[in-house]
Amino acid sequence: MKSLGKIVRSVQAFGRELSGQGSPSTLPKDLAVGIALGGGFARGIAHIGVLKVLEEENIPIRFVAGTSVGALIGAAYCSGVSAAELEQVATRVRFKTFARWTISRMGFADNQRMVGFLNTVLKVKTFEELRIPLAVAATDFSNGDGVVFRAGPLIDPVRASCAYPGMFLPVKIGGRLLVDGMLAHAVPTRPLRDMGAERVLAVHLVGNWTNNQEGPRHLFDVIGQCFSIAQEMNCGIWKQAADLVIEPDVNGYKYDDFEHSAELVRAGETVMRAALPEVRKWLQPAPAPHQKSHKLPMNQPVAIPAD
């Protein structure tokens, strides 16, 4: 009986070889896809639309990296908050949800209120508990170095990543003063590569911060437009690490346009649906290698393992 079992297994294996089944090169690859979410304050609500489409289409995301609002949305999503839940949260948030005006030589507002908001929204409180690995990008204010968080508590790194220079006070972590990650990683594609992502989808929020006819409303529009210009001048670095860049149409939306969350979500959905064919190509099975004919000559013996 033992010999018979070996014969059966050998014949089955030979049959699979003939049909090409079971060959690793012909099976779908468990591709490590990562998504990089850039900054843009209220305009970052468009990220929710991108994630919503990826969820609906069952596109597997293995890694997430975020800068500024991208870090906030990424942290919530990786903690287990669905895109639909994020969409509901976005309808309720306003500038005062995150910020409180203050008088300081370091900025005009602090984002300490973000602690309470994140404690309410996040389903876990540390990087290690996240259901999807996450990288949060910030910038060392003293030397401009990029700082990427991937372990430990979540809330302060997200606050630091969102500390927009000139508006929000820097956040101190481990003795370092940290500000918005967009200065070092406008769209954090390179941290995704460091995490092991084989394909990188980058979400870049291009848009004018002010209405050119009306001009800036106040100092924050001036600061925002300057950073937007600087970001565009230096986009080549992060784009080199991206396989695909999508840019939701957020032109005309101001940095604090939270009341337009529904339109911003739709902008993310629209651009992601247009990009789906390209993303699906990443997930297609690799083509089978050229198979030589397995037809055996007449009377060709088949080897059977010995006992």
Side-chain angles (χ1 to χ4, degrees):
M1 294 296 293
K2 184 177 180 181
S3 297
L4 179 60
K6 287 188 175 181
I7 292 172
V8 170
R9 287 193 296 273
S10 298
V11 172
Q12 289 173 335
F14 184 68
R16 286 194 297 271
E17 184 181 352
L18 290 177
S19 64
Q21 295 175 0
S23 173
S25 61
T26 64
L27 294 177
K29 185 181 178 184
D30 186 17
L31 193 70
V33 177
I35 182 168
L37 306 175
F41 212 43
R43 297 183 304 167
I45 293 172
H47 291 320
I48 298 173
V50 173
L51 294 171
K52 184 178 177 182
V53 171
L54 292 171
E55 265 191 11
E56 290 173 353
E57 300 296 326
N58 295 315
I59 305 295
I61 298 299
R62 291 269 301 280
F63 303 104
V64 177
T67 287
S68 198
V69 65
L72 191 156
I73 291 173
Y77 189 72
C78 292
S79 78
V81 182
S82 69
E85 290 172 316
L86 282 171
E87 191 172 7
Q88 290 300 311
V89 171
T91 64
R92 302 193 299 269
V93 300
R94 295 294 184 269
F95 180 80
K96 65 181 180 181
T97 305
F98 312 108
R100 178 173 51 203
W101 297 114
T102 186
I103 299 176
S104 170
R105 60 189 174 87
M106 302 290 281
F108 290 93
D110 70 45
N111 62 10
Q112 187 65 34
R113 286 181 176 175
M114 193 177 290
V115 174
F117 172 76
L118 290 173
N119 273 322
T120 300
V121 173
L122 295 179
K123 296 191 175 182
V124 301
K125 300 301 186 290
T126 67
F127 283 86
E128 289 79 5
E129 297 173 282
L130 295 171
R131 67 183 182 90
I132 301 174
L134 170 73
V136 170
T139 306
D140 189 317
F141 180 73
S142 65
N143 56 25
D145 287 346
V147 180
V148 178
F149 293 91
R150 291 173 51 188
L154 269 171
I155 290 177
D156 277 350
V158 172
R159 286 182 58 225
S161 187
C162 294
Y164 199 77
M167 179 181 291
F168 292 115
L169 307 184
V171 175
K172 182 176 283 189
I173 301 177
R176 306 172 81 176
L177 276 181
L178 303 176
V179 294
D180 200 304
M182 75 171 188
L183 295 174
H185 295 285
V187 182
T189 54
R190 292 193 177 277
L192 281 178
R193 293 292 186 187
D194 293 339
M195 295 169 79
E198 297 170 278
R199 291 289 186 274
V200 170
L201 171 64
V203 187
H204 183 211
L205 300 174
V206 183
N208 295 323
W209 285 80
T210 61
N211 184 306
N212 290 329
Q213 294 179 345
E214 296 177 2
R217 298 169 299 164
H218 40 58
L219 174 62
F220 303 129
D221 275 353
V222 175
I223 295 173
Q225 184 66 5
C226 288
F227 277 113
S228 183
I229 293 169
Q231 179 177 307
E232 290 307 304
M233 294 296 101
N234 294 283
C235 65
I237 297 174
W238 61 261
K239 282 187 176 181
Q240 291 175 2
D243 293 288
L244 178 64
V245 179
I246 62 174
E247 298 178 337
D249 183 4
V250 293
N251 275 308
Y253 293 100
K254 298 182 286 294
Y255 80 94
D256 54 354
D257 268 348
F258 292 100
E259 66 271 20
H260 295 293
S261 64
E263 298 99 301
L264 288 164
V265 169
R266 282 198 297 273
E269 289 183 72
T270 299
V271 72
M272 189 63 245
R273 290 203 182 279
L276 277 175
E278 188 64 31
V279 174
R280 286 199 179 101
K281 289 179 184 178
W282 300 346
L283 305 175
Q284 290 175 355
H290 179 68
Q291 299 278 348
K292 292 183 178 180
S293 173
H294 289 281
K295 184 176 181 180
L296 296 174
M298 293 297 293
N299 302 321
Q300 176 69 38
V302 177
I304 303 297
D307 289 338

